[in-house]
Amino acid sequence: RFLFMLWILVISGCAYADGSSIVTGTTRTPTNPTLVKLYRVAPADYEIIGLVNASGNGWTEQESQHLAIDELKKRAAELGANGVLLLSSGDKEPATVGDVYGGTVSGEAIHVRH
């Protein structure tokens, strides 16, 4: 019984995601995070709602990236965004997701006009 409880404690404490957001525009009614689309290139017609960032720590780099992306979409959806324009860590580099030690991602929460 002790080993089982210890195993549950270890498993539950190892994978996590965290993030934050800063409102820079006008928020909207919250949206569904599964409907938030990621953009590497700015869409034709959009409005910036805010800045979002997230990090994830999973068993693998890939899991960490997935956790970070899910958290990023969640934070953007809370602001009413239907998209996130990914930002790179460098000046003119393409947007990247994740790093060697865990997933990290940031972007602009946006509302894309269709």
Side-chain angles (χ1 to χ4, degrees):
R1 180 176 262 213
F2 173 74
L3 290 177
F4 178 74
M5 294 302 288
L6 182 61
W7 180 77
I8 294 294
L9 181 63
V10 168
I11 295 297
S12 64
C14 291
Y16 71 89
D18 191 24
S20 64
S21 61
I22 300 171
V23 176
T24 61
T26 303
T27 59
R28 297 172 177 271
T29 302
T31 59
N32 183 338
T34 61
L35 301 177
V36 174
K37 184 176 178 183
L38 300 179
Y39 294 88
R40 289 186 63 160
V41 176
D45 189 17
Y46 70 97
E47 171 188 342
I48 299 172
I49 298 173
L51 300 173
V52 289
N53 67 58
S55 61
N57 187 7
W59 288 100
T60 65
E61 183 177 349
Q62 188 67 45
E63 182 185 14
S64 297
Q65 291 174 359
H66 285 295
L67 289 167
I69 290 169
D70 289 346
E71 182 69 18
L72 188 78
K73 288 181 174 185
K74 176 184 161 196
R75 297 294 176 149
E78 290 171 352
L79 299 180
N82 62 4
V84 175
L85 180 57
L86 296 174
L87 300 175
S88 68
S89 56
D91 288 16
K92 303 236 183 230
E93 299 173 22
T96 57
V97 178
D99 60 32
V100 175
Y101 302 105
T104 59
V105 64
S106 61
E108 294 176 326
I110 60 175
H111 175 74
V112 180
R113 298 178 189 101
H114 298 150

